[in-house]
Amino acid sequence: MTQKKVIFSRRQIAQRVEELAAQISRDYTGRDLLLVGILKGAFIFLADLARALEVPTQVDFVRLMSYGTSTETSGEVHITKDVELPVQSRHVLVVEDIVDVGLTLDFLLGHLASHKPASLKICCLIDKRERRQVEVPLDYVGFTVERGFLVGYGLDCAEKFRTLPEVYEILEPEGEG
Ligand code: PRP
């Protein structure tokens, strides 16, 4: 069994998502928003956030792959699925589950900026600080943690635990689940 403990409960997550949505709705009053979710991890957070927003919102997704293992990254990121809606002149809010090293978002920001959006911001559920190599401007942050192998609410460990409604920290990453 994989040992893990809850670090953010359903209730804590739901409350924080409501708070973020209220703040985003205020900030984007009078504007249309294009949410760009990063697959796969962001799909649950994006679904909850999008439904709590009070501004007209469209949704698109990208999928990015980085070379390297889960504990080491070579710094190379590439797109395997690009946005499908036009980005030019749109107010774009990138929605991410967790920012770790920072290379994924750094790459995506450059890519989306080249399409000349009217504005480009980031909303992430979890800002995990310890391994950050590239500082990326995080405009809306749900929770900040220093370290930890986190799963649940979209986050996976070898595709397991993604659909758990809470966020857990894995205590024994090598364990059999
Ligand atoms: C994870 C996570 C972020 C990214 C963080 O995705 O969901 O998208 O890594 O990258 P960083 O270390 O560059 O900040 P992963 O590649 O595991 O794919 P997944 O979302 O499909 O699980």
Side-chain angles (χ1 to χ4, degrees):
M1 279 289 289
T2 303
Q3 297 293 313
K4 56 190 191 309
K5 68 170 183 188
V6 173
I7 61 162
F8 301 120
S9 67
R10 293 181 197 213
R11 194 189 181 94
Q12 282 174 297
I13 295 169
Q15 185 182 336
R16 197 68 194 105
V17 169
E18 286 294 329
E19 289 168 358
L20 287 171
Q23 190 186 348
I24 293 165
S25 297
R26 279 197 301 276
D27 292 352
Y28 286 87
T29 300
R31 288 182 274 173
D32 286 12
L33 191 55
L34 174 59
L35 297 183
V36 175
I38 306 182
L39 294 170
K40 300 177 193 176
F43 83 108
I44 291 177
F45 177 42
L46 185 143
D48 284 345
L49 184 73
R51 286 177 292 174
L53 291 172
E54 292 170 4
V55 288
T57 300
Q58 295 181 344
V59 174
D60 206 343
F61 291 95
V62 292
R63 180 137 172 75
L64 303 163
M65 302 292 282
S66 37
Y67 293 106
T69 67
S70 60
T71 53
E72 235 174 89
T73 175
S74 67
E76 266 187 76
V77 182
H78 70 126
I79 297 178
T80 57
K81 186 219 159 315
D82 205 346
V83 282
E84 292 163 26
L85 297 173
V87 163
Q88 186 169 10
S89 305
R90 301 298 312 273
H91 294 286
V92 174
L93 181 63
V94 174
V95 180
E96 177 63 301
D97 54 350
I98 189 165
V99 184
D100 186 1
V101 175
L103 288 165
T104 303
L105 268 180
D106 186 59
F107 174 85
L108 182 62
L109 284 185
H111 175 69
L112 292 175
S114 73
H115 289 283
K116 307 260 181 282
S119 67
L120 181 56
K121 290 190 174 185
I122 299 171
C123 175
C124 74
L125 181 70
I126 299 170
D127 177 11
K128 189 169 95 169
R129 301 292 317 165
E130 189 185 43
R131 302 197 307 162
R132 190 68 39 86
Q133 287 177 18
V134 187
E135 283 304 332
V136 279
L138 304 179
D139 301 281
Y140 305 96
V141 176
F143 303 100
T144 301
V145 300
E146 197 50 37
R147 64 184 66 81
F149 192 160
L150 308 184
V151 296
Y153 200 72
L155 296 154
D156 75 310
C157 171
E159 295 301 329
K160 285 195 296 188
F161 309 125
R162 235 191 247 288
T163 57
L164 295 175
E166 305 85 8
V167 173
Y168 294 79
E169 179 175 359
I170 291 192
L171 304 175
E172 294 175 15
E174 304 307 323
E176 291 297 310

